[in-house]
Amino acid sequence: MKYSIVFPGQGSQSQGMMSNLRSNFSVVNEIFQEASDAINLDLWKIVNEDQELLNLTEITQPVMLAAGYATYRVLASEVNLSPISIAGHSLGEYTALVASGSLSFFDAVQLVRKRAELMQVAVPSGSGSMAAILGLGDTRVIEICLKASDKGVVEAVNFNSPGQVVIAGEKDAVAHACELMKEAGAKRALVLPVSVPSHCSLMKDAAKEYKYSVDNINFQMGSEKVLHNVDADYSSNIDEIKSKLVEQLYKPVLWTSTVQKMKESGVEKLIDAGPGKVLAGLTRRIDKSLSGSAIIDTTSLRSTIEEISNA
């Protein structure tokens, strides 16, 4: 079976996640310890004890990076992996780059922490917003965002699957866009509990600042092919990887196109490596001929290994 491995981003975190895998695989503890050391914070303690802290962008990003990479390492310790490609949704792209060997885990933890801090500073708390729009086509969502932008910045930022698009921008403009979406026939326009309006033009200043951090990190061309969010394509050199990571801060996540690209390369299954089942759930909505499974505990790990081994 031809498969790709994908990594989730913010929004898939939950208190107590990874406990089952950590009980059975020491590598999970080692990775969380390394992440904690990199930024001088006890991340495992936060995961287990403080949901509010866990949901803060500058905590969520290193935690989700550690969780996704730990899940990948557990899988790799149990079966010989040979994915066609790998990718990650938003923050998950960093996990994919670490898994490919393009970026060291220690550097990635520090980088995503910096990314989160800059994102949080870019837009004052409470002034930005994001909302999930269900039941309208991509083009219609883009058109309505343009119409609503007389109230401020509002843009389509996550193309997650046909009929599921996330918008982001200034709070009033997002609220106005949500009303217009409902009038246009959207099934739902759901404001998301996030503190930062990711992937929209409000992040351009943060991206300029972030470029300095990215340029100071040592990247390599990885052993696995990584599909990037901004163009649903691979990079041919290190400069391209870096520029795509910087652009990703203020450009949309083209997840539907990323999964379609995987399908074109012969992929039949997507393995969602990390907490939650968000990406596995989106897979069949994007293409019914694809299957998706999430590794969240030893049971789902075993069934994934069986599928890969028997292919």
Side-chain angles (χ1 to χ4, degrees):
M1 176 185 283
K2 291 182 176 177
Y3 60 91
S4 284
I5 299 172
V6 294
F7 298 95
Q10 265 177 276
S12 293
Q13 71 276 8
S14 61
Q15 202 173 328
M17 66 184 190
M18 302 293 294
S19 297
N20 176 273
L21 288 176
R22 184 177 183 260
S23 302
N24 291 281
F25 296 94
S26 60
V27 70
V28 176
N29 193 48
E30 287 161 23
I31 285 165
F32 267 88
Q33 189 58 56
E34 189 180 347
S36 298
D37 292 345
I39 55 173
N40 297 313
L41 265 178
D42 189 339
L43 294 178
W44 187 253
K45 191 169 190 272
I46 292 169
V47 167
N48 283 286
E49 294 178 12
D50 198 331
Q51 182 72 47
E52 204 175 320
L53 209 50
L54 180 61
N55 285 343
L56 284 181
T57 294
E58 60 262 39
I59 303 288
T60 312
Q61 295 202 19
V63 162
M64 286 302 296
L65 173 68
Y69 185 50
T71 305
Y72 174 81
R73 288 282 301 276
V74 165
L75 182 61
S77 71
E78 295 291 293
V79 66
N80 187 21
L81 292 173
S82 54
I84 299 287
S85 57
I86 56 179
H89 189 285
S90 188
L91 170 79
E93 186 166 308
Y94 290 80
T95 324
L97 288 166
V98 173
S100 79
S102 179
L103 176 61
S104 83
F105 178 62
F106 189 86
D107 284 347
V109 174
Q110 294 191 320
L111 200 53
V112 300
R113 172 70 180 220
K114 184 68 178 172
R115 176 182 185 264
E117 286 168 358
L118 290 169
M119 287 168 75
Q120 193 70 72
V121 170
V123 179
S125 189
S127 64
S129 178
M130 296 181 82
I133 310 302
L134 307 181
L136 288 181
D138 294 357
T139 310
R140 192 78 184 100
V141 172
I142 293 166
E143 283 168 2
I144 293 170
C145 283
L146 280 172
K147 194 175 169 186
S149 61
D150 58 341
K151 301 277 188 196
V153 173
V154 56
E155 296 157 9
V157 296
N158 289 2
F159 296 94
N160 287 335
S161 69
Q164 186 185 334
V165 180
V166 174
I167 63 173
E170 291 169 304
K171 201 171 188 176
D172 290 349
V174 170
H176 181 50
C178 285
E179 291 307 315
L180 296 178
M181 300 284 178
K182 286 174 192 167
E183 285 169 22
K187 288 176 189 165
R188 291 186 82 183
L190 186 70
V191 175
L192 301 173
V194 294
S195 56
V196 171
S198 306
H199 306 294
C200 74
S201 57
L202 294 174
M203 291 293 145
K204 279 194 172 173
D205 286 346
K208 282 178 198 163
E209 187 76 21
Y210 185 55
K211 187 178 186 299
Y212 296 114
S213 298
V214 172
D215 284 344
N216 283 322
I217 296 284
N218 183 32
F219 285 81
Q220 301 174 50
M221 292 308 291
S223 56
E224 312 287 357
K225 295 201 296 184
V226 176
L227 282 163
H228 294 271
N229 287 180
V230 295
D231 58 1
D233 210 350
Y234 309 106
S235 286
S236 53
N237 58 60
I238 288 163
D239 286 342
E240 222 178 306
I241 294 172
K242 289 182 174 183
S243 68
K244 286 181 184 185
L245 287 181
V246 173
E247 283 176 31
Q248 194 224 51
L249 267 187
Y250 63 89
K251 285 191 173 178
V253 172
L254 306 180
W255 192 251
T256 301
S257 303
T258 298
V259 173
Q260 286 166 341
K261 178 92 173 180
M262 290 174 179
K263 171 76 189 295
E264 284 163 23
S265 60
V267 167
E268 301 157 85
K269 181 182 182 64
L270 267 66
I271 298 168
D272 189 348
K277 304 175 181 179
V278 173
L279 301 182
L282 292 175
T283 301
R284 279 186 65 77
R285 285 187 220 153
I286 294 169
D287 191 314
K288 286 191 166 43
S289 70
L290 292 172
S291 68
S293 65
I295 299 171
I296 52 171
D297 53 21
T298 49
T299 307
S300 49
L301 173 70
R302 296 287 161 226
S303 60
T304 300
I305 289 167
E306 206 172 306
E307 279 193 77
I308 294 173
S309 305
N310 295 339

